[in-house]
Amino acid sequence: MKKINNIIHKLIDPFMNPDNWQKWIEQIFIGLFYIILAFIIIKILHKLIEKFFTTKYGTKRVGKSNKRAKTMVNLLQNVVSYVVWFIVATTILSNLGIRVESIIAGAGVVGLAIGFGAQALVKDVITGFFIIFENQFDVGDYVKINTTGTTVAEGTVQSIGMRSTRILSFEGDLTILPNGTMNEIVNFSIHNGMAIVEIPVSIKEDLDKVEQKLEVFLPTIKEKYAIFVNEPEILGVETVTAGEATIKIAGETEPNAHGTGARILRREIKSFFDKEGIQSPIPTMVSYNPNNIQ
């Protein structure tokens, strides 16, 4: 019983000493000061990083697009936050008289013990580094992510973290994928797209004259719509059937704009045909009477 009382007194006595209370209150205020200071420093550093990579000089240093700058801003802001909070945490613990070196050493031993169970996390982080520094895709790119041949996400990249990536689909669904699970990536936003359409016209039309008129009209589409990189061009007559001829037309567009470009071509060419009086194919019905067969 005497030993128990001694233990209890050792636990209670520090709280009964006013000097200890004063010291703890001072450390609490100092800790709060460090936390507030950390928020301010992180905010300032985030602004400086964003300003550097969004200026003309910063964008040139990074590469060819603003999307790459956004990706690097997101990554560096995360790293800065981790570093600042680690410094603040170790400083506060040191002021409280806790040996940070012992904690770090113990964490190393514990980390080694659980390392085998955290292989997926390590894989996610390493894959995140490769995604960012190999420039596989950037924030704002439209991508399709496959895992073992199955599409698990398709949409616009919202953010790229060290462990996971956020992808927003066209329907508004947000998918958060661990980086280590992405083994097949299709990026639709790197190279220019190609809008290809097949326009049917009546077989009664003079195809040479139709193509001549289209060659005059197609350059006006590029002037009207900025998504076209070059003037749409006629590839030629694709098919000829009993009632129609199909003319294939292609237009180079900005990355991931080929679908929109194809819809624009169809609408504009349809309006042009209506103005020029160029006939579209008209379905014909053939009646068949077996009694007339000789």
Side-chain angles (χ1 to χ4, degrees), residues 210-221 223 234 272:
V210 173
E211 289 187 354
Q212 289 173 3
K213 291 181 179 181
L214 282 173
E215 287 175 353
V216 175
F217 169 71
L218 291 177
T220 63
I221 296 180
E223 297 172 0
I234 301 171
F272 174 72

Side-chain angles (χ1 to χ4, degrees), residues 102-166:
S102 301
I103 295 177
I104 295 175
V109 175
V110 174
L112 182 63
I114 66 174
F116 294 102
Q119 292 181 9
L121 177 61
V122 174
K123 182 181 178 182
D124 292 340
V125 174
I126 293 175
T127 306
F129 271 111
F130 280 113
I131 289 174
I132 293 169
F133 291 106
E134 289 184 355
N135 196 18
Q136 296 180 12
F137 55 81
D138 292 321
V139 174
D141 284 355
Y142 190 89
V143 298
K144 180 169 69 174
I145 307 298
N146 297 335
T147 300
T148 62
T150 303
T151 301
V152 294
E154 182 175 348
T156 303
V157 179
Q158 297 295 296
S159 66
I160 304 173
M162 298 307 301
R163 196 193 68 83
S164 62
T165 297
R166 296 171 180 262

Side-chain angles (χ1 to χ4, degrees), residues 197-203 207 210-211 214 234-241 243-249 273 281:
V197 296
E198 295 181 356
I199 306 297
V201 296
S202 173
I203 197 66
L207 296 181
V210 173
E211 289 187 354
L214 282 173
I234 301 171
L235 299 182
V237 178
E238 185 69 13
T239 60
V240 177
T241 62
E244 67 179 44
T246 303
I247 301 175
K248 180 175 281 191
I249 298 171
F273 280 4

Side-chain angles (χ1 to χ4, degrees), residues 15 26-27 50-51 65 89 92 96 101 103 114 117 129 135 140 150-151 164 176-177 218 223 230 234 246 283 290 292:
F15 293 95
E26 289 177 356
Q27 294 302 325
E50 185 176 357
K51 185 177 181 180
S65 68
I92 292 175
L96 292 174
E101 299 85 355
I103 295 177
I114 66 174
F129 271 111
N135 196 18
T150 303
T151 301
S164 62
I176 303 175
L177 288 175
L218 291 177
E223 297 172 0
N230 293 315
I234 301 171
T246 303
N292 293 332

Side-chain angles (χ1 to χ4, degrees), residues 39-225:
F39 276 112
I40 296 173
I41 292 174
I42 289 173
K43 194 171 186 64
I44 292 174
L45 291 177
H46 282 191
K47 288 291 184 183
L48 290 175
I49 292 170
E50 185 176 357
K51 185 177 181 180
F52 174 78
F53 282 100
T54 53
T55 58
K56 185 176 181 181
Y57 174 71
T59 303
K60 281 185 176 179
R61 287 189 62 182
V62 172
K64 59 184 180 298
S65 68
N66 290 329
K67 293 185 293 185
R68 183 63 176 164
K70 291 179 182 178
T71 302
M72 296 303 297
V73 165
N74 183 271
L75 172 65
L76 291 178
Q77 285 179 343
N78 287 334
V79 172
V80 164
S81 298
Y82 293 145
V83 171
V84 170
W85 284 120
F86 176 78
I87 294 173
V88 169
T90 54
T91 303
I92 292 175
L93 292 175
S94 297
N95 290 339
L96 292 174
I98 300 173
R99 295 187 61 184
V100 179
E101 299 85 355
S102 301
I103 295 177
I104 295 175
V109 175
V110 174
L112 182 63
I114 66 174
F116 294 102
Q119 292 181 9
L121 177 61
V122 174
K123 182 181 178 182
D124 292 340
V125 174
I126 293 175
T127 306
F129 271 111
F130 280 113
I131 289 174
I132 293 169
F133 291 106
E134 289 184 355
N135 196 18
Q136 296 180 12
F137 55 81
D138 292 321
V139 174
D141 284 355
Y142 190 89
V143 298
K144 180 169 69 174
I145 307 298
N146 297 335
T147 300
T148 62
T150 303
T151 301
V152 294
E154 182 175 348
T156 303
V157 179
Q158 297 295 296
S159 66
I160 304 173
M162 298 307 301
R163 196 193 68 83
S164 62
T165 297
R166 296 171 180 262
I167 298 175
L168 183 66
S169 70
F170 183 76
E171 294 81 8
D173 301 324
L174 182 65
T175 303
I176 303 175
L177 288 175
N179 293 330
T181 63
M182 297 185 288
N183 49 30
E184 298 175 17
I185 301 171
V186 181
N187 192 337
F188 298 96
S189 301
I190 295 180
H191 301 292
N192 291 338
M194 186 64 70
I196 300 176
V197 296
E198 295 181 356
I199 306 297
V201 296
S202 173
I203 197 66
K204 297 179 180 179
E205 293 288 343
D206 187 331
L207 296 181
D208 289 333
K209 291 183 178 180
V210 173
E211 289 187 354
Q212 289 173 3
K213 291 181 179 181
L214 282 173
E215 287 175 353
V216 175
F217 169 71
L218 291 177
T220 63
I221 296 180
K222 180 182 181 301
E223 297 172 0
K224 188 176 179 181
Y225 298 95

Side-chain angles (χ1 to χ4, degrees), residues 50 233 288:
E50 185 176 357
E233 60 179 351
Y288 172 70

